[in-house]
Amino acid sequence: MTTTSHTLAMIAGGVATPAGFRAAGISAGIKASGKPDLALIVSDRPATAAAVFTTNKAQAAPVLVSREHLAASQGTARAIVTNSGCANACTGEDGLRVARGMAAATADLIGCPAEQVLVASTGVIGVSLSLDKIRTALPRGMAALGADQGAAAAQAIMTTDPFPKEAAICVSIGGRDVRIGGTAKGSGMIEPMMATMLGFLTTDAAVPLPVLQRVLREVVDNTFNAITVDGECSTNDCVMILANGASGVTIDDASYQAFAQALETVCLRLALGIVRGGEGATKLITITVTGAASGSEARTAAKAIANSPLVKTAVHGGDPNWGRLIAVAGRAGVAFDLSRAAVTIGSIELFKDGRPFDEQAPEAAKYLKNDDINIAVDLGSGSASATVWTCDLSAEYVRINAEYRT
Amino acid sequence: MTTTSHTLAMIAGGVATPAGFRAAGISAGIKASGKPDLALIVSDRPATAAAVFTTNKAQAAPVLVSREHLAASQGTARAIVTNSGCANACTGEDGLRVARGMAAATADLIGCPAEQVLVASTGVIGVSLSLDKIRTALPRGMAALGADQGAAAAQAIMTTDPFPKEAAICVSIGGRDVRIGGTAKGSGMIEPMMATMLGFLTTDAAVPLPVLQRVLREVVDNTFNAITVDGECSTNDCVMILANGASGVTIDDASYQAFAQALETVCLRLALGIVRGGEGATKLITITVTGAASGSEARTAAKAIANSPLVKTAVHGGDPNWGRLIAVAGRAGVAFDLSRAAVTIGSIELFKDGRPFDEQAPEAAKYLKNDDINIAVDLGSGSASATVWTCDLSAEYVRINAEYRT
């Protein structure tokens, strides 16, 4: 197998940027604020579709319905319909009726089978979603569809997000261009595990279904699954990708790496957007764990550090309290050797070979005034490593979540 | 085996209340604030001693030294010497020298072997502890020892604790009185797992070493190990008990239950004090999980709920956001059946048999204005249950921990 040479370039845009896709974002009156809350992503031809969903055992109705539709359509979809302001989770039989109704109404307007429409919802859990409001708004949504409306769709899926997240890339494979676009939302209840909050990806490449499923799973594991805001895994997490082939380029073994790299670039951009826009976040923290006994132990330790409220508040306060990093590594349930462990904040070594260098703390405190923080912890127990991204924990996180519904 | 009839009565006091014990709490200059930071607990005769320690792999020097001493003395101790303001953790060989030096200097003043003195420290990790300051202060501590100085010792072990924790009980066994006293500290970095922050217990009962080890382990598992403030397990956690026999009563099979019940009452009082005084806490939350497949799964789910920042902030804000309880139960990695699950806040059912009763939310919001909150979650998957205690998450927690060292 030879690998086709390729070039990558980030481009402006999002889900409607690849050829043959249009998007819309409108207000359906689900949010009391009247802000946009209904998004459509439509391909002008049947697209190959793959998705990864939350591992939470309390799965929301739209997750169950999208799974059903992907199975029934054998991985073919024309559209994604999604709302914010209501998660349609823990809503029983009635919730399933509403999720199926959203898909059916969208399919009617497009003129495709209902199982070729995927559904997603995000917002408050346990509140009924009004199918009437969605049915009433959908024709307006169809009329608003445009190749220049990706940003509107990105707006319409936001809940507590402080800004919309979208990204697009052009990858030139053997002289022919393929585009990948994406949008994501998520700010709290973020530790996606096997998926993320909501992420929607489109590409005008033709990608055979098994290849699309494989590349999505691999890329999500290194991007959306490597972030955490608050260690919470939602009932509604999903990442969906539609590949409609409008570019005329088919992804094969030779171009797989180019496509995977491009997709990972888009997904990482979106995932880091979620972390930067984490509830109350003021800093993006990159945590690298080295010296682990295995890759999985490295990831476990990095996630434990990333979810530690003591680490997150210390970074928030600009306090180089490296002892908390050691304490978390020591309780993370992974191999750890204190006499060989090390902690580095930025490029400043604060602990090494079993002894502290606390005299470096003032320099580390100065470094912590930056917005982008790198923390490295060596477990002293092997040669595996992992990187995880998180944000700091601020009083604003408490305020947002203490007042979410009140 | 017959069980001796017994009566229990809470009494005023703490670690110096049982016969034959004295305590002291003084300032040794370890805390920059000049507040009390050195505590002594001394038995007038050799006491049977048992302890449980942190499971954190980064064990502090005093933990290692106390383990050594308990082994060398075969479970006999005359005293506990402990300081606040510095954890003497991650301090390498020099930390071990200081911990051994604290014990040796105390033993010299008492006139006993060094291995009959147990050591504990709490405070900032990674900073050197001054043995000179402790050596200089110890004679003053010995002079201050008194049976009425338990409260001073309880004061001297505090760090971010908003109030001291002590408790004492009198248990009458076959007409003869035995007293149990205790003190504990801890406010942040609290999810003790197999031990807790610092807890010191004394009793004037005579308790054979294997019995003392067993009862301590059992009681700690239901009390200190069932609380969490922030899901963090410290490098210094320990609970120690000294039984000096000064009451003339020996605990045997017939009186074991009476003694265990009395000890559990003291430990639960202290453990709940730690939660009520958790960093930034405004509410005590009792979380009961029922319908679990096993006791261990019940505990796992209860701990996951107790550590969820979204649950803790919702309770803080008085928001009956029961969907977050379901979302956490669903991601906790235990058997969970959404169609049979239930959520009750106070006595108000908000979710049952797969459907929400969100119209009850206003009544639940009113209930959440109380200081003591009961939350029950049924996993719908079995008949096992567990109870865990935690506190809410406030902006004050963030403030305390963002500014801990600065």
Side-chain angles (χ1 to χ4, degrees):
Chain A
M1 183 190 99
T2 56
T3 300
T4 311
S5 72
H6 67 278
T7 56
L8 295 181
M10 295 303 297
I11 54 178
V15 286
T17 302
F21 284 99
R22 290 174 300 155
I26 63 164
S27 300
I30 301 161
K31 288 179 178 166
S33 65
K35 287 188 181 166
D37 49 20
L38 187 68
L40 284 168
I41 302 166
V42 178
S43 170
D44 65 6
R45 68 201 78 183
T48 307
V52 286
F53 297 99
T54 179
T55 55
N56 197 307
K57 286 176 183 149
Q59 304 216 330
V63 169
L64 297 172
V65 170
S66 290
R67 280 186 194 281
E68 279 172 16
H69 286 194
L70 279 172
S73 69
Q74 297 180 291
T76 304
R78 282 291 303 280
I80 299 169
V81 57
T82 178
N83 71 278
S84 55
C86 174
N88 193 14
C90 302
T91 43
E93 281 301 319
D94 193 60
L96 287 169
R97 184 188 61 82
V98 173
R100 291 200 183 99
M102 283 172 72
T106 306
D108 280 352
L109 293 168
I110 293 174
C112 71
E115 66 259 30
Q116 288 189 9
V117 177
L118 303 177
V119 193
S121 298
T122 179
V124 183
I125 298 173
V127 174
S128 295
L129 178 60
S130 163
L131 182 54
D132 282 349
K133 286 185 182 169
I134 290 170
R135 278 202 186 116
T136 304
L138 273 174
R140 211 159 19 90
M142 292 299 293
L145 282 173
D148 58 352
Q149 295 297 303
Q155 281 278 353
I157 60 174
M158 290 165 60
T159 55
T160 52
D161 305 57
F163 54 83
K165 270 76 72 177
E166 55 174 355
I169 199 165
C170 181
V171 50
S172 175
I173 297 176
R176 298 175 68 184
D177 285 349
V178 162
R179 283 149 294 268
I180 302 173
T183 184
K185 67 81 52 178
S187 188
M189 204 179 267
I190 298 280
E191 182 180 357
M193 300 200 205
M194 291 312 290
T196 188
M197 291 300 287
L198 302 186
F200 303 117
L201 302 159
T202 55
T203 178
D204 47 22
V207 189
L209 184 58
V211 177
L212 194 64
Q213 289 168 333
R214 174 186 154 200
V215 73
L216 181 65
R217 197 158 288 280
E218 287 180 359
V219 163
V220 164
D221 200 48
N222 291 328
T223 56
F224 293 111
N225 281 359
I227 64 170
T228 178
V229 168
D230 53 8
E232 305 273 9
C233 170
S234 139
T235 50
N236 290 52
D237 292 349
C238 67
V239 178
M240 300 173 172
I241 184 165
L242 304 185
N244 72 359
S247 66
V249 177
T250 299
I251 303 304
D252 54 16
D253 282 354
S255 55
Y256 181 86
Q257 284 308 325
F259 185 78
Q261 192 188 337
L263 186 62
E264 182 160 325
T265 304
V266 169
C267 288
L268 188 60
R269 178 75 65 109
L270 296 172
L272 296 189
I274 289 178
V275 177
R276 280 186 206 279
E279 288 174 344
T282 70
K283 292 174 193 293
L284 172 69
I285 311 171
T286 304
I287 293 163
T288 306
V289 166
T290 54
S294 70
S296 133
E297 291 209 348
R299 173 75 80 104
T300 297
K303 279 280 183 88
I305 292 167
N307 282 324
S308 160
L310 290 178
V311 170
K312 292 160 84 89
T313 49
V315 172
H316 180 63
D319 177 359
N321 197 330
W322 57 270
R324 292 179 179 173
L325 294 161
I326 289 286
V328 175
R331 71 150 166 86
V334 301
F336 175 79
D337 182 347
L338 182 60
S339 69
R340 300 174 59 200
V343 173
T344 307
I345 295 181
S347 60
I348 305 144
E349 287 188 335
L350 290 164
F351 184 76
K352 203 178 175 188
D353 297 333
R355 84 165 198 82
F357 296 87
D358 210 52
E359 64 278 12
Q360 306 266 47
E363 198 188 338
K366 207 185 297 174
Y367 169 78
L368 287 174
K369 292 192 197 297
N370 293 308
D371 289 343
D372 284 18
I373 303 297
N374 289 299
I375 291 176
V377 175
D378 193 293
L379 304 179
S381 305
S383 57
S385 63
T387 299
V388 157
W389 294 272
T390 191
C391 56
D392 55 342
L393 173 59
S394 68
E396 182 68 5
Y397 177 92
V398 176
R399 195 194 61 72
I400 291 167
N401 285 299
E403 298 170 8
Y404 186 48
R405 306 203 319 172
T406 49
Chain B
M1 183 191 102
T2 57
T3 300
T4 310
S5 72
H6 67 277
T7 56
L8 296 181
M10 295 302 297
I11 54 178
V15 286
T17 302
F21 284 99
R22 291 175 299 156
I26 63 165
S27 301
I30 300 161
K31 288 178 179 166
S33 64
K35 286 187 181 167
D37 50 21
L38 187 68
L40 284 168
I41 302 168
V42 178
S43 169
D44 65 6
R45 67 201 79 184
T48 307
V52 287
F53 296 99
T54 180
T55 54
N56 197 307
K57 286 176 185 150
Q59 305 217 327
V63 168
L64 298 173
V65 169
S66 290
R67 280 186 194 282
E68 279 173 15
H69 285 193
L70 279 172
S73 69
Q74 295 179 293
T76 304
R78 281 291 304 281
I80 299 169
V81 57
T82 178
N83 71 279
S84 57
C86 174
N88 193 13
C90 303
T91 44
E93 282 299 320
D94 192 59
L96 287 170
R97 184 187 61 82
V98 173
R100 292 199 183 101
M102 282 171 71
T106 306
D108 279 352
L109 291 169
I110 292 174
C112 71
E115 66 258 30
Q116 289 189 9
V117 177
L118 304 177
V119 192
S121 298
T122 180
V124 183
I125 298 173
V127 174
S128 295
L129 178 59
S130 163
L131 182 54
D132 282 348
K133 285 184 183 170
I134 290 170
R135 277 202 187 120
T136 304
L138 271 174
R140 213 160 17 93
M142 291 299 294
L145 282 173
D148 58 352
Q149 294 298 304
Q155 282 279 352
I157 61 175
M158 290 165 62
T159 55
T160 52
D161 306 55
F163 52 83
K165 271 76 74 176
E166 54 173 356
I169 199 166
C170 181
V171 50
S172 174
I173 297 175
R176 298 175 70 185
D177 285 350
V178 163
R179 282 149 295 267
I180 302 173
T183 185
K185 70 79 53 180
S187 188
M189 204 179 268
I190 298 282
E191 182 178 355
M193 299 199 207
M194 292 309 291
T196 186
M197 289 301 285
L198 302 186
F200 302 117
L201 303 158
T202 55
T203 178
D204 47 23
V207 189
L209 183 59
V211 176
L212 193 66
Q213 288 167 334
R214 174 185 154 201
V215 73
L216 181 66
R217 198 158 287 279
E218 286 180 1
V219 163
V220 164
D221 199 48
N222 291 328
T223 56
F224 292 110
N225 281 359
I227 64 171
T228 176
V229 168
D230 53 8
E232 304 275 10
C233 169
S234 139
T235 49
N236 290 51
D237 293 348
C238 66
V239 179
M240 299 174 173
I241 185 167
L242 304 185
N244 71 1
S247 66
V249 178
T250 299
I251 302 304
D252 55 16
D253 282 354
S255 56
Y256 182 86
Q257 283 308 326
F259 184 78
Q261 193 188 334
L263 185 63
E264 183 160 324
T265 304
V266 168
C267 287
L268 188 60
R269 178 75 66 106
L270 296 173
L272 295 189
I274 288 177
V275 178
R276 280 187 205 280
E279 287 173 345
T282 72
K283 292 174 192 294
L284 173 70
I285 312 170
T286 303
I287 293 163
T288 306
V289 166
T290 54
S294 69
S296 131
E297 291 207 350
R299 172 75 80 102
T300 297
K303 278 279 182 87
I305 292 168
N307 282 324
S308 159
L310 290 178
V311 170
K312 293 160 84 86
T313 48
V315 172
H316 180 64
D319 177 359
N321 197 329
W322 57 269
R324 293 179 179 174
L325 294 162
I326 289 286
V328 176
R331 71 152 166 87
V334 302
F336 175 79
D337 181 347
L338 183 61
S339 69
R340 300 173 61 201
V343 173
T344 308
I345 294 181
S347 58
I348 305 145
E349 286 187 337
L350 291 164
F351 184 76
K352 203 179 176 188
D353 297 332
R355 87 166 196 81
F357 296 86
D358 210 52
E359 63 278 12
Q360 305 267 45
E363 199 187 339
K366 206 186 298 175
Y367 169 78
L368 287 175
K369 292 190 197 299
N370 293 307
D371 289 342
D372 282 19
I373 304 297
N374 289 298
I375 291 176
V377 175
D378 193 294
L379 304 179
S381 304
S383 58
S385 64
T387 298
V388 156
W389 293 272
T390 190
C391 55
D392 55 342
L393 173 59
S394 68
E396 182 67 7
Y397 177 91
V398 176
R399 196 195 60 73
I400 290 167
N401 285 299
E403 299 171 7
Y404 186 47
R405 303 204 320 173
T406 48

